[in-house]
Amino acid sequence: MERRVVDILGICIDDVTMAETLAAIEAYIAEGGPHQITTVNPEFVVEAQRNAPFRVVLEGCDLALPDGIGLLWAARVLGQSLRERVAGSDLVPAVARLSARRGYRLYLLGAAPGVAERAAENLVRDCPGLQIAGTYAGSPSPCEEDDIVARIVAADPDVLFVAYGAPRQDLWIYRNLHRLGVPVCMGVGGTFDFIAGVAVRAPLWMRRMGLEWLHRLWRQPWRWRRMLALPRFVALVAAQRLSLGARRL
Ligand code: UDP
């Protein structure tokens, strides 16, 4: 698949729609080799400025989805365009629906004990016929890595969702991608919590207005320190815009 990407602060984000993302996932599974998808938001981009291993993951992945509304804003400010926000939290149920139709098997790794199982039950309830290859909480700690990889290899899924929070989940996938051999591997952050009903997602009107980040801050105020990345992101994008303008003079 030919990629059309937008460079935001040195990170390439794919300009894809939800429909194109689902088509890419079908192509990856048909192709068979391992692929990594990341769900990039402004926090990712700021983290990648100082976290070189994470930057390598974002550079090396097969698809870097525009998960945060801030990226669409930044693309516009930088004279480019990202057509659509493709959020991991929307993609997981969409992949489940696709999988029920196509017979793909999902593995849900991560989140607190019991949450991945509950999320899997809810997905199966909503997508009759969906096959779950396995669920496991585990932890991103290196001493568990071999055991977890062995479990997933034995389950042989088509799609692996990992909920260990960014950037840990994405580094975990990147390290293990080739020995896992799963066609589609994606870090999904708090998505299992939403699907299992242990966390509440922003109402649709807030998502449509691009205010999902505000809802998260309100529901999970302890995230404020991480969210300091947002004003930093705005300042860095403004600086990149100014330097672009200066070069064009
Ligand atoms: N999580 C986990 N083990 C860890 C750290 C996090 O299972 O060591 C899970 C946590 O329970 C949650 C998910 O990772 O379900 C994502 O956390 P968070 O909401 O912080 O991630 P984000 O969506 O911001 O990437």
Side-chain angles (χ1 to χ4, degrees), residues 36-49:
Q36 178 167 11
I37 301 177
T38 55
T39 57
V40 184
N41 62 26
E43 288 174 37
F44 279 49
V45 174
V46 171
E47 174 73 18
Q49 305 300 305

Side-chain angles (χ1 to χ4, degrees), residues 110-112 138 140 163-166 168-169 188-190 193 216 220 223 226:
Y164 286 146
R168 253 181 306 183
Q169 61 196 13
V188 296
D193 298 342
R216 263 199 123 176
Q220 303 174 330
R223 297 172 73 93
R226 283 179 54 178

Side-chain angles (χ1 to χ4, degrees), residues 1-205:
M1 187 182 84
E2 193 170 331
R3 294 175 66 181
R4 191 171 53 245
V5 297
V6 169
D7 178 331
I8 296 176
L9 305 177
I11 304 300
C12 290
I13 321 285
D14 286 84
D15 177 28
V16 282
T17 62
M18 175 64 84
E20 288 166 356
T21 303
L22 291 169
I25 287 173
E26 290 194 74
Y28 294 157
I29 295 174
E31 210 177 287
H35 300 83
Q36 178 167 11
I37 301 177
T38 55
T39 57
V40 184
N41 62 26
E43 288 174 37
F44 279 49
V45 174
V46 171
E47 174 73 18
Q49 305 300 305
R50 56 174 189 83
N51 181 338
F54 187 45
R55 194 164 58 240
V56 169
V57 174
L58 297 181
E59 281 166 359
C61 69
D62 296 274
L63 200 55
L65 298 177
D67 181 302
I69 197 72
L71 298 180
L72 274 65
W73 166 82
R76 223 173 28 244
V77 167
L78 299 171
Q80 307 195 54
S81 145
L82 288 167
R83 283 166 296 158
E84 192 176 307
R85 175 180 180 223
V86 183
S89 308
D90 294 320
L91 185 58
V92 171
V95 170
R97 287 190 290 274
L98 173 72
S99 300
R101 278 203 313 277
R102 301 295 305 259
Y104 303 150
R105 300 167 68 249
L106 308 185
Y107 197 106
L108 278 57
L109 174 68
V115 171
E117 283 88 334
R118 189 118 55 95
E121 283 164 17
N122 289 349
L123 288 173
V124 170
R125 182 198 61 206
D126 295 342
C127 313
L130 176 67
Q131 296 178 59
I132 301 295
T135 61
Y136 188 61
S139 93
S141 130
C143 65
E144 286 194 42
E145 210 154 296
D146 289 348
D147 170 54
I148 295 176
V149 169
R151 283 169 183 268
I152 296 167
V153 168
D156 191 26
D158 300 293
V159 178
L160 169 66
F161 295 130
V162 184
Y164 286 146
R168 253 181 306 183
Q169 61 196 13
D170 307 282
L171 290 159
W172 191 96
I173 293 172
Y174 191 77
R175 274 199 306 278
N176 295 298
L177 189 64
H178 290 279
R179 56 181 186 145
L180 285 165
V182 178
V184 176
C185 300
M186 183 171 105
V188 296
T191 302
F192 297 167
D193 298 342
F194 296 134
I195 296 174
V198 300
V200 180
R201 217 181 150 194
L204 205 53
W205 68 267

